[in-house]
Amino acid sequence: WLVIDRKVYDVSEFSKRHPGGSRVISHYAGQDATDAFVAFHNDKSLVKKYLKSLLIGELAPDQPSFESNKKKSLLEDFRELRCTIEKMGLLRPNYTFFFLIFLHLLVLDAASWLVVWYFGISLAPFLVGIAFFTIAQIQMGWFQHDLGHCSVFRKPKWNRLLQIIVINVLKGLPASWWNHLHNQHHAKPNCFRKDPDLNMHPLLFSLGKTLSVEVSTGMAGKAKMAKTASCRVAHYNVFSFFSLERRRRSSCLTIISTSISSVS
């Protein structure tokens, strides 16, 4: 079960049919999922029709309607800010902007191949082609990101269709795989073992001293962490060869980790 707008829903069976995947819902099992529900569903009136059959009760008056690890006053400020932004129309897409983005992606991608085809594979045209291709691929990643969030078109099916063209055809990665991971990232951002963006390849990447020790402990089974400072340093040095202090991730390492996980 989970809570949305103080109403309790049994989603045990529905989670298997959930379009966004069962894992996103499982991350909120036994918790308040109101803000995640609002963020993920554009047409809330349509979705709420499916919720009616899942309703099993309501929260007691003395029960808070927000996640236990979040500050109520801060959460209310963010909810008010979101309503203000929606009323101002700042979330409405600019179709001209996205059309130009898509057009320049196609031009850069085509230019990268045309340069090599016309001038040959000598060093200068090869480097120019690589530059065009790299910029196009990076920008495609951000464009398909907006499509994955259904931020370009009002109807989700058009976003999904163009996303498949961009990430599946032009980038060579499955859209369903990316959506599955990225939905979890926004459902539980920066929550270790729930946010896939933090679950980098265990043999190559870990995040900060605390998480490094946790990762190293997990890899060794459920062994207890050594309490001595020397052992802590040893854990940190061995398992954090590419450690990213204070959870700040390098874009380069993130891309490498994403490429590894997309294959594995």
Side-chain angles (χ1 to χ4, degrees):
W1 60 269
L2 50 75
V3 178
I4 299 175
D5 291 330
R6 303 195 62 83
K7 298 184 184 297
V8 184
Y9 298 93
D10 182 359
V11 294
S12 303
E13 294 298 325
F14 174 77
S15 63
K16 302 173 184 177
R17 309 188 305 272
H18 182 232
S22 60
R23 192 168 295 181
V24 175
I25 290 184
S26 67
H27 289 336
Y28 277 93
Q31 300 178 29
D32 189 290
T34 302
D35 294 291
F37 175 83
V38 172
F40 277 98
H41 303 94
N42 293 330
D43 192 349
K44 299 172 187 60
S45 58
L46 174 63
V47 179
K48 286 183 178 180
K49 293 180 180 179
Y50 294 92
L51 290 177
K52 291 182 179 179
S53 61
L54 307 177
L55 181 65
I56 58 175
E58 294 188 22
L59 289 180
D62 60 334
Q63 292 294 316
S65 182
F66 56 90
E67 293 180 67
S68 58
N69 62 336
K70 292 183 178 180
K71 189 176 179 180
K72 182 180 179 181
S73 59
L74 184 61
L75 188 60
E76 289 177 346
D77 287 344
F78 272 106
R79 288 176 177 175
E80 183 180 353
L81 177 62
R82 179 182 177 87
C83 290
T84 302
I85 290 175
E86 288 180 341
K87 290 178 181 179
M88 294 174 64
L90 298 180
L91 298 181
R92 287 197 293 266
N94 185 323
Y95 295 114
T96 302
F97 169 79
F98 283 114
F99 172 76
L100 293 176
I101 287 290
F102 186 48
L103 181 62
H104 104 274
L105 294 179
L106 296 178
V107 170
L108 284 173
D109 194 56
S112 66
W113 295 103
L114 288 173
V115 167
V116 176
W117 173 78
Y118 187 80
F119 293 101
I121 57 174
S122 57
L123 181 60
F126 183 70
L127 292 177
V128 172
I130 286 179
F132 284 155
F133 186 76
T134 301
I135 295 172
Q137 287 292 309
I138 293 174
Q139 292 298 317
M140 284 177 192
W142 290 115
F143 183 50
Q144 73 84 27
H145 171 274
D146 291 342
L147 291 166
H149 279 290
C150 296
S151 301
V152 179
F153 301 105
R154 291 184 178 180
K155 293 187 176 181
K157 65 178 181 181
W158 294 114
N159 287 283
R160 300 304 183 202
L161 178 60
L162 188 54
Q163 185 192 26
I164 289 174
I165 294 174
V166 175
I167 189 172
N168 287 47
V169 178
L170 298 178
K171 287 187 66 67
L173 293 172
S176 58
W177 165 81
W178 187 89
N179 290 331
H180 173 68
L181 296 181
H182 200 66
N183 285 342
Q184 295 179 66
H185 160 67
H186 280 286
K188 288 290 183 178
N190 294 326
C191 292
F192 190 50
R193 302 193 188 286
K194 290 187 177 181
D195 181 356
D197 281 16
L198 297 185
N199 298 338
M200 292 187 173
H201 196 283
L203 298 180
L204 298 179
F205 309 100
S206 55
L207 304 171
K209 186 179 295 185
T210 303
L211 289 180
S212 300
V213 175
E214 186 173 351
V215 170
S216 66
T217 305
M219 290 176 62
K222 293 186 177 180
K224 295 181 179 179
M225 285 192 303
K227 295 182 179 181
T228 62
S230 59
C231 286
R232 286 183 182 272
V233 172
H235 273 106
Y236 180 67
N237 289 338
V238 173
F239 292 98
S240 300
F241 185 71
F242 290 103
S243 180
L244 310 175
E245 193 63 25
R246 298 179 183 178
R247 298 190 182 186
R248 294 179 180 177
R249 294 169 288 122
S250 164
S251 296
C252 179
L253 295 182
T254 303
I255 292 172
I256 295 173
S257 178
T258 301
S259 299
I260 293 173
S261 61
S262 68
V263 175
S264 59

